[in-house]
Amino acid sequence: PVPVLCMVAIMSRAKGTDLFLEMCNRLRQQKVQFKAWMVGEWLRDSERDEALDFLRRHDLDAQVELRGRQTDMAAIYAGTDILVLPTRRDSFPRVVMEAMAHGLPVVATRIDGLPEMVEEGRTGFLTAPDDVAGYVAAVTRLLADAPLRQNMGAAGRTRAEQLFSPETYERAMLELYQAVEGGA
């Protein structure tokens, strides 16, 4: 099967929709085999229309699908091979946690809280803001190496369990409360 790249967000320029589309365009130009899903509502109709126009102009209609808001995200993640989040800002993107918990490698921007979530070279790859070439290189590497995708996905699942599970959160909150209580 053709690997699936997925961007999950409230679709907007701030989240990097233009970067994701240009990355897809460059992958197509390089004759890389892939499908891409953009999952989430569009912040502005005008940006959605621009995206559709970009897909038509660059002959990407068959490869990139605007899927809109989805209610069954487990099914989306199950059908995805790589999560790509080229966001220009996002302090703590829950989608990265979810994708990692579902065993997906992540390619994201090295900004805000993302470097604490994604371990470079272990659970995914981080790139500089607005670096389309960096996204293309990271995604191409993952698409060409299924064992690397699987290993990064497994490492991401373990990291998500260690850092983001309800048990981990509960333990951290108890420790915080005990520290505050002990210092009072």
Side-chain angles (χ1 to χ4, degrees):
V2 176
V4 175
L5 313 174
C6 189
M7 178 180 177
V8 178
I10 294 175
M11 296 294 161
S12 68
R13 191 168 160 71
K15 294 293 183 176
T17 52
D18 56 320
L19 303 171
F20 185 82
L21 290 169
E22 182 56 35
M23 178 199 70
C24 291
N25 185 43
R26 292 185 191 181
L27 290 170
R28 186 193 60 76
Q29 289 172 346
Q30 295 174 12
K31 309 236 184 295
V32 174
Q33 294 295 306
F34 73 97
K35 291 271 187 195
W37 297 342
M38 297 178 82
V39 176
E41 293 182 52
W42 286 81
L43 190 59
R44 293 176 189 83
D45 290 343
S46 61
E47 289 186 9
R48 184 198 62 232
D49 294 344
E50 288 172 18
L52 290 168
D53 183 56
F54 184 95
L55 294 176
R56 280 189 292 276
R57 283 186 292 114
H58 294 90
D59 197 28
L60 285 163
D61 299 279
Q63 285 176 289
V64 180
E65 184 180 341
L66 278 53
R67 303 198 81 187
R69 184 170 187 263
Q70 300 290 308
T71 56
D72 187 358
M73 288 306 297
I76 294 293
Y77 292 127
T80 298
D81 294 283
I82 303 167
L83 178 82
V84 182
L85 188 64
T87 188
R88 290 182 169 97
R89 66 168 198 262
D90 206 328
S91 58
F92 194 76
R94 189 180 72 219
V95 65
V96 170
M97 267 190 307
E98 292 173 355
M100 289 170 55
H102 282 88
L104 296 176
V106 175
V107 177
T109 312
R110 189 180 294 106
I111 57 161
D112 299 335
L114 283 160
E116 284 95 44
M117 299 174 84
V118 179
E119 283 185 276
E120 175 67 33
R122 186 161 182 274
T123 65
F125 295 113
L126 296 167
T127 190
D130 294 303
D131 182 9
V132 174
Y135 283 103
V136 171
V139 167
T140 300
R141 183 171 173 198
L142 285 167
L143 288 173
D145 191 342
L148 179 62
R149 284 196 313 267
Q150 292 164 349
N151 290 338
M152 283 187 163
R157 182 180 293 117
T158 299
R159 185 165 174 77
E161 289 168 358
Q162 291 170 345
L163 295 179
F164 311 124
S165 72
E167 296 79 19
T168 300
Y169 178 78
E170 181 180 340
R171 189 170 41 253
M173 287 296 100
L174 283 173
E175 289 172 8
L176 177 65
Y177 291 141
Q178 289 169 349
V180 168
E181 199 173 82

